[in-house]
Amino acid sequence: GNYKFTGLVPGNYFVTFAKPTGYDSFSPMDQGSDNTVDSDADATSGQTATTTLQSGDNDLTWDAGVYRYTCLNGLAWVDTNGNGIKDGSESGLQDVSVSLYRKDDFGGVDVLKATATTDANGAYSFSNLQPGTYYVKFAKPSGTDYQFVISSSGSDTKATDLNGQTDPVTLTSGQPSCDGTLKAGL
């Protein structure tokens, strides 16, 4: 992924990157405090800011990160036996509000990215997500007396507190399929 322009005369320069085939977006610009490892390409144009090179300069800090979108989906269901596992006879629960949060990579405040409502089968989905660490918060359907089943049974990440919040999952660029582990039994 390295590139280098040599023999440049002193002056003002910028670099324009083109996304490789199969990639959806440039990474966010100027993240973190280390300019040698951040992405410098504008997410829309792929162009960097202008830099001025003096005689003898060797500036190797103009980079571009790219990624493929990822997705997350899951389920809310009526857990009739309260075991934290969706058994074959248990049905999905419609109209459960699901809020998607992205954890802040730098220790700041987590950000609400999107909301959805479960469909007639209890399913929800979020697509076109940047790679990162996410969790969801389920909200019980209004006007009901459902409670969240808190269980570590099975292999899925389920609501882990009485407020319907799950543990976080990390989504990576180019995952072969949507992460479907964030679920809630009620």
Side-chain angles (χ1 to χ4, degrees), residues 28-48:
M29 287 178 69
D30 299 325
Q31 300 296 300
S33 60
D34 186 350
N35 193 42
T36 64
V37 297
D38 69 346
S39 183
D40 300 299
D42 178 79
T44 304
S45 68
Q47 182 174 313
T48 67

Side-chain angles (χ1 to χ4, degrees), residues 2-186:
N2 294 323
Y3 72 92
K4 188 173 185 178
F5 297 105
T6 60
L8 301 176
V9 298
N12 296 324
Y13 294 91
F14 62 87
V15 177
T16 302
F17 296 93
K19 286 182 296 211
T21 301
Y23 285 86
D24 298 307
S25 184
F26 288 105
S27 299
M29 287 178 69
D30 299 325
Q31 300 296 300
S33 60
D34 186 350
N35 193 42
T36 64
V37 297
D38 69 346
S39 183
D40 300 299
D42 178 79
T44 304
S45 68
Q47 182 174 313
T48 67
T50 300
T51 186
T52 301
L53 296 177
Q54 304 295 327
S55 182
D57 281 351
N58 188 24
D59 188 348
L60 304 177
T61 64
W62 296 93
D63 309 315
V66 293
Y67 63 88
R68 292 179 179 106
Y69 290 130
T70 186
C71 56
L72 187 143
N73 59 28
L75 181 70
W77 78 95
V78 179
D79 194 353
T80 57
N81 60 5
N83 69 353
I85 298 171
K86 185 180 181 308
D87 300 306
S89 62
E90 295 173 333
S91 60
L93 184 58
Q94 186 173 0
D95 294 329
V96 175
S97 177
V98 185
S99 298
L100 174 70
Y101 289 85
R102 180 173 177 158
K103 297 213 40 92
D104 185 276
D105 295 331
F106 303 104
V109 176
D110 298 344
V111 177
L112 174 65
K113 298 302 285 185
T115 59
T117 303
T118 58
D119 65 16
N121 298 313
Y124 72 90
S125 181
F126 298 105
S127 59
N128 295 331
L129 301 175
Q130 287 182 343
T133 302
Y134 295 87
Y135 61 91
V136 298
K137 286 184 180 179
F138 294 92
K140 297 177 268 189
S142 58
T144 69
D145 59 353
Y146 284 113
Q147 300 299 314
F148 291 104
V149 175
I150 307 303
S151 171
S152 60
S153 302
S155 61
D156 293 331
T157 303
K158 298 175 189 69
T160 56
D161 69 20
L162 295 176
N163 295 317
Q165 182 173 321
T166 66
D167 286 334
V169 295
T170 300
L171 306 178
T172 59
S173 175
Q175 278 183 220
S177 61
C178 283
D179 184 294
T181 63
L182 300 183
K183 302 177 180 181
L186 293 97

